[in-house]
Amino acid sequence: IVPTGSTERPLSRGWLLRAAGLIVLILAEVLGLTIRFDAGPLLSRTDWWARGLMWSPMLLGGALAFTAAFLLVVSPRLTAITQSLAAGSAAHRWGPWLSLQLVTVGLFAWCTARLFEGGGGSGSWAVAWAVAAVAAATLWLLALAPARSWWTLASRERVALLVAAVAAGAAVAIGRAVRAAWIPLASVTFWLVERLLGVLYSRVVSVPLEQSLGTPAFQVTIAPECSGYEGIALILVFLAIYLWLFRHDL
């Protein structure tokens, strides 16, 4: 008996390199923008657009949660999806789309600087900021594969997209709920750490109202962003999805 070979077409090395480069690019863009800009200065603004932009970190978190949930849901079919995108990109002219994406990211950074740091933002700038954000993500997808490939994927994976959207919404909602419970949860942790430090050091500096704790030589202030509760919420959501998806294999 002669074993039959695999019918799967090998992925093009050029497409794999392009996909890897685009993934590194989008990660670098997101990381660079989040490090460079901070929504904190908008807290002092009363404009409607400033209040809306205060949701931008949460929207980014939701987008990342959506992407991770979608990849988890389609993980059993990820190889086939990758091959389909690669096959549809055989004659795809991706260079112009990548150039437009880089220009759009630059415009997005300009709008972000104007709104977050310039002090002279307006509703028009906020709309331009939102349009640039959506355009940059869309152009990145078009640099990876043509529109028809993405449309085919969306049609085939409607259920996966819906599950990912629900999971992202749940992750954001649970994160907000946990963040609202930050004070009572942190109080218990703060009390326990203070007692543990008291065992090791004769003098402990403790300011519960400021969530500041340490020794006379070194103190730290624990912010809600550093609590880890939102991360725990995300882990619970994705663990629930994983257990449901692979319940027959466990």
Side-chain angles (χ1 to χ4, degrees):
I1 300 174
V2 179
T4 58
S6 174
T7 59
E8 295 182 352
R9 296 179 59 184
L11 294 175
S12 166
R13 182 179 180 182
W15 188 87
L16 287 174
L17 290 175
R18 170 155 53 95
L22 287 172
I23 292 172
V24 171
L25 173 66
I26 193 69
L27 291 176
E29 289 172 345
V30 172
L31 184 61
L33 289 170
T34 52
I35 293 176
R36 173 64 180 80
F37 298 106
D38 182 17
L42 296 175
L43 290 172
S44 59
R45 303 294 298 263
T46 58
D47 309 270
W48 64 267
W49 57 266
R51 294 194 298 270
L53 289 179
M54 287 301 300
W55 289 80
S56 56
M58 188 174 300
L59 292 176
L60 176 60
L64 295 176
F66 173 83
T67 303
F70 178 76
L71 292 176
L72 178 61
V73 173
V74 302
S75 57
R77 305 180 296 279
L78 194 56
T79 300
I81 291 174
T82 304
Q83 290 176 338
S84 176
L85 291 176
S89 305
H92 180 51
R93 295 184 59 193
W94 56 274
W97 297 111
L98 177 59
S99 300
L100 288 173
Q101 199 269 348
L102 294 174
V103 172
T104 305
V105 170
L107 293 174
F108 177 78
W110 181 34
C111 293
T112 305
R114 175 79 178 185
L115 292 167
F116 286 49
E117 299 176 347
S122 64
S124 299
W125 280 95
V127 171
W129 179 87
V131 171
V134 174
T138 303
L139 291 169
W140 183 88
L141 292 175
L142 293 176
L144 182 60
R148 62 178 179 275
S149 296
W150 294 112
W151 180 257
T152 301
L153 175 62
S155 300
R156 291 177 178 174
E157 300 293 347
R158 294 188 299 271
V159 176
L161 290 171
L162 178 60
V163 172
V166 172
V172 172
I174 294 175
R176 281 185 59 83
V178 170
R179 193 179 181 90
W182 149 252
I183 295 179
L185 291 173
S187 298
V188 176
T189 306
F190 190 89
W191 179 86
L192 179 60
V193 174
E194 182 181 359
R195 296 300 180 276
L196 291 174
L197 285 176
V199 175
L200 301 174
Y201 298 95
S202 58
R203 292 185 59 191
V204 175
V205 177
S206 174
V207 187
L209 291 178
E210 299 179 0
Q211 294 295 312
S212 180
L213 185 64
T215 67
F218 180 78
Q219 300 96 39
V220 296
T221 300
I222 307 170
E225 294 82 1
C226 305
S227 64
Y229 296 135
E230 292 180 78
I232 294 174
L234 287 173
I235 291 174
L236 291 176
V237 170
F238 284 100
L239 180 60
I241 296 174
Y242 176 84
L243 293 175
W244 175 71
L245 288 175
F246 301 99
R247 60 190 182 278
H248 299 301
D249 301 325
L250 298 176

